[in-house]
Amino acid sequence: MMAPCRRNRAVNAAQLLSRRRRGVTDAGSLIRLNTRILRNILLQDNRDFIKVWSKTSKSTIMYENGKIYFENYRNCYSCLHSEPQVLYKLPKRSKLEKFEDALLCQSPLDKSLASPSDHKPSLLTLTANNWLYRLSAETGKELQRVYLSSNHKFRYLGWEVSQETFYVKSVQNKETPLERQAGVLAVSHSNKSVKLYSFEHIVQRYMTEKLMLGEHSSLLGGKKVGEAPFGIPVNIKITDCLPVLFEVSCTNNGVQIGGYPWHYIYTPPQKNHKGTHRICSLKDNIMATNGIQNMSCNSLENDSIFFHPDDSGRIIHVGPTTINVLKILDELNSSLPSKVVKDFSMMTLRNINPTSQVTVTSSGRTVKRRFQQLDDDPDQETFRVVEYEDELDLLAVVLTNGEEGEGRAHIRLHDNQSGQLQRRIDLHEPWDETYRHELFFDKDTIVHIEQKNANFCCHVYKLKANRK
């Protein structure tokens, strides 16, 4: 006897709330119900994203997990309310004690930690004089401090998601995509090659002493690890050549690894390959069928390509007029190469008639344009930013259009699985594409951070019922 077919039908918010009231068997199902309710509400015609708050600053503004940071992470605002509210403001710090980088982290729920405060979110901050602080993400109170080194200047913090660890860097380049891969150390070389090494192999073979913060170390002559002025000693000494896991020559050290099964994306360093992206299997370095992706853009800004931040293994390729979401097909135990196919595309809504290269003046004189119009011309609708909201499974795509003489932007929300357009959101402030912009879509909140000359500005939109 066959089980009855399970119909995939739409369920409205009232039905979902009724299910939740009757009881849910596990926390995962409850979260999924809640996010489905929020997504249904967000896409209703009687709801709009309304601009509720703006604030300017002379220093960089950062957004992370519902919090906005000003003044080099000293001032923190929470976005959980109807408009941002101050969580805490820390005292001014000297130039030597200035926070240079920060990282928001949370403890895993399946582990018991020494102190109850350790289970709450923390903000790790790196100072100009090599101190690492752990602050309460809710109050800014100092929970822990560690002195790193008097011999090396550390500048950046990074997060290793898969292994739930963070790292501190002293090099100039803040981050490369490969540093987020589990157990891999990526090294860029001046000959435009990138080499990957096993970090686990390095630790197991070349570690001279295992260190614990606050405990005595023979490498420090019996002094405690993490205390000034000694800090944390170097406890790995490489004495021979390391085995290379992977090597590729590419433009701007830009190689990305992802997908399922593992693939990598790169652009060869030769000039004739500029603007093309190659997708190859990591297992055997064989390029996938349809593995050369080229937007053939005539634009000031380069197109971008990256692995989708969801767990689908897909690829997002963003150009000025088209966004392609690609997927990799690979048959198990097959000798044939993998294949790249288009999952769906998103297009701008432009005038299909191209701008004429020849115009006639009022006096009858024929004038021929000297330059062809660019694909990312500010007078045309152009893709600028793609943001993924994982809990709502929506893609937020920012488009600009300067037809009215002033750069304007709006957001299109697309279903992440089908690419179908769900709704449009207008941004109130002008968008000047010559300056740097960041956009964050976080459930019922949209945050737009822009740089204007030497100043920065933050705009916050919240989901509200419209009054039409």
Side-chain angles (χ1 to χ4, degrees):
M1 182 176 179
M2 294 182 63
C5 178
R6 185 175 182 179
R7 292 183 297 168
N8 184 17
R9 62 186 181 88
V11 181
N12 63 33
Q15 290 173 301
L16 291 172
L17 284 170
S18 177
R19 289 183 187 178
R20 190 173 70 173
R21 179 177 56 81
R22 292 196 301 267
V24 179
T25 56
D26 62 272
S29 297
L30 179 60
I31 292 173
R32 284 191 294 272
L33 278 174
N34 290 342
T35 54
R36 285 184 64 185
I37 292 171
L38 178 58
R39 174 173 164 141
N40 289 349
I41 293 173
L42 184 146
L43 298 178
Q44 289 177 358
D45 293 335
N46 63 347
R47 301 281 172 168
D48 280 328
F49 278 90
I50 307 299
K51 187 174 180 177
V52 298
W53 192 79
S54 291
K55 184 175 174 60
T56 59
S57 174
K58 292 185 177 180
S59 59
T60 305
I61 304 171
M62 304 295 293
Y63 176 84
E64 181 71 33
N65 196 29
K67 296 180 176 63
I68 308 174
Y69 296 95
F70 293 86
E71 308 301 328
N72 298 108
Y73 304 98
R74 288 193 299 107
N75 299 343
C76 178
Y77 290 75
S78 170
C79 289
L80 297 182
H81 308 280
S82 58
E83 65 178 64
Q85 295 184 7
V86 176
L87 265 185
Y88 60 82
K89 289 188 175 183
L90 301 180
K92 288 187 177 181
R93 305 177 70 90
S94 67
K95 189 175 181 180
L96 281 176
E97 296 176 321
K98 183 185 73 172
F99 294 147
E100 292 204 331
D101 202 6
L103 190 68
L104 190 66
C105 63
Q106 302 182 81
S107 70
L109 298 177
D110 59 340
K111 295 180 181 178
S112 179
L113 302 178
S115 170
S117 65
D118 294 341
H119 289 277
K120 297 180 180 180
S122 300
L123 183 71
L124 301 177
T125 58
L126 178 64
T127 66
N129 56 353
N130 270 359
W131 279 93
L132 181 68
Y133 288 86
R134 184 166 68 91
L135 309 177
S136 166
E138 302 300 324
T139 65
K141 178 183 176 182
E142 180 185 322
L143 303 175
Q144 188 178 3
R145 68 165 71 181
V146 174
Y147 185 68
L148 297 176
S149 174
S150 58
N151 300 321
H152 307 280
K153 170 63 177 174
F154 291 96
R155 294 181 179 273
Y156 307 115
L157 297 170
W159 184 247
E160 170 67 88
V161 177
S162 60
Q163 295 187 331
E164 296 179 341
T165 58
F166 73 94
Y167 55 87
V168 189
K169 286 183 64 175
S170 61
V171 295
Q172 295 299 320
N173 295 329
K174 178 164 185 173
E175 192 171 341
T176 63
L178 289 173
E179 285 170 342
R180 293 194 293 269
Q181 302 297 328
V184 170
L185 177 66
V187 180
S188 303
H189 297 269
S190 57
N191 62 355
K192 298 184 178 180
S193 70
V194 175
K195 295 181 180 180
L196 270 62
Y197 304 94
S198 168
F199 189 70
E200 182 181 2
H201 169 77
I202 294 172
V203 171
Q204 290 179 351
R205 179 163 181 174
Y206 301 106
M207 181 185 290
T208 58
E209 180 183 331
K210 188 174 182 178
L211 303 174
M212 294 289 291
L213 291 176
E215 295 188 1
H216 300 279
S217 169
S218 62
L219 298 176
L220 296 175
K223 301 295 189 299
K224 289 184 178 181
V225 177
E227 292 187 355
F230 304 100
I232 302 175
V234 175
N235 65 335
I236 291 180
K237 293 185 179 180
I238 299 174
T239 56
D240 50 17
C241 292
L242 297 172
V244 178
L245 298 178
F246 171 80
E247 180 179 3
V248 65
S249 295
C250 52
T251 301
N252 298 326
N253 300 322
V255 58
Q256 303 176 60
I257 295 179
Y260 180 81
W262 292 106
H263 281 67
Y264 63 95
I265 305 172
Y266 78 104
T267 298
Q270 294 80 10
K271 288 185 178 180
N272 59 315
H273 293 296
K274 184 179 179 181
T276 66
H277 308 279
R278 299 194 175 193
I279 304 169
C280 302
S281 169
L282 188 64
K283 177 179 66 177
D284 49 23
N285 293 323
I286 295 177
M287 186 168 65
T289 304
N290 299 329
I292 297 180
Q293 296 293 316
N294 187 353
M295 284 280 186
S296 300
C297 304
N298 177 29
S299 57
L300 291 176
E301 298 289 335
N302 295 328
D303 59 319
S304 61
I305 190 168
F306 51 91
F307 286 101
H308 200 305
D310 68 5
D311 59 358
S312 66
R314 294 178 296 174
I315 297 169
I316 299 179
H317 191 185
V318 184
T321 63
T322 306
I323 297 176
N324 292 327
V325 177
L326 312 169
K327 58 183 179 180
I328 301 171
L329 303 180
D330 193 1
E331 295 184 11
L332 190 65
N333 300 323
S334 173
S335 59
L336 297 175
S338 55
K339 186 177 182 180
V340 176
V341 299
K342 187 184 297 182
D343 195 12
F344 60 82
S345 293
M346 294 173 277
M347 312 287 291
T348 57
L349 304 176
R350 288 190 174 186
N351 185 353
I352 59 174
N353 298 319
T355 304
S356 175
Q357 297 298 304
V358 178
T359 57
V360 180
T361 65
S362 58
S363 63
R365 184 168 60 93
T366 299
V367 179
K368 187 175 182 180
R369 283 174 176 259
R370 184 173 294 181
F371 302 103
Q372 183 179 355
Q373 189 177 36
L374 297 173
D375 290 334
D376 58 352
D377 190 288
D379 291 336
Q380 296 278 350
E381 189 174 70
T382 304
F383 288 122
R384 298 295 179 185
V385 179
V386 178
E387 174 78 2
Y388 173 57
E389 217 301 331
D390 57 340
E391 295 183 89
L392 303 179
D393 203 30
L394 290 171
L395 289 169
V397 182
V398 178
L399 298 96
T400 58
N401 194 331
E403 287 184 350
E404 300 176 358
E406 186 178 39
R408 288 290 171 181
H410 66 271
I411 301 170
R412 286 183 359 199
L413 299 183
H414 292 258
D415 179 77
N416 181 50
Q417 302 303 322
S418 66
Q420 183 178 359
L421 177 63
Q422 303 296 307
R423 71 171 303 168
R424 167 179 166 148
I425 304 161
D426 291 320
L427 297 181
H428 297 177
E429 63 277 359
W431 183 296
D432 188 339
E433 68 276 358
T434 60
Y435 294 114
R436 176 173 166 265
H437 296 263
E438 289 183 289
L439 185 109
F440 302 92
F441 177 33
D442 194 352
K443 297 186 283 295
D444 66 337
T445 305
I446 293 174
V447 178
H448 173 211
I449 299 175
E450 59 178 336
Q451 180 179 358
K452 289 185 176 180
N453 296 320
N455 293 321
F456 298 84
C457 190
C458 177
H459 311 277
V460 177
Y461 293 75
K462 299 292 287 190
L463 184 67
K464 294 180 178 289
N466 60 39
R467 301 177 180 178
K468 295 179 182 178

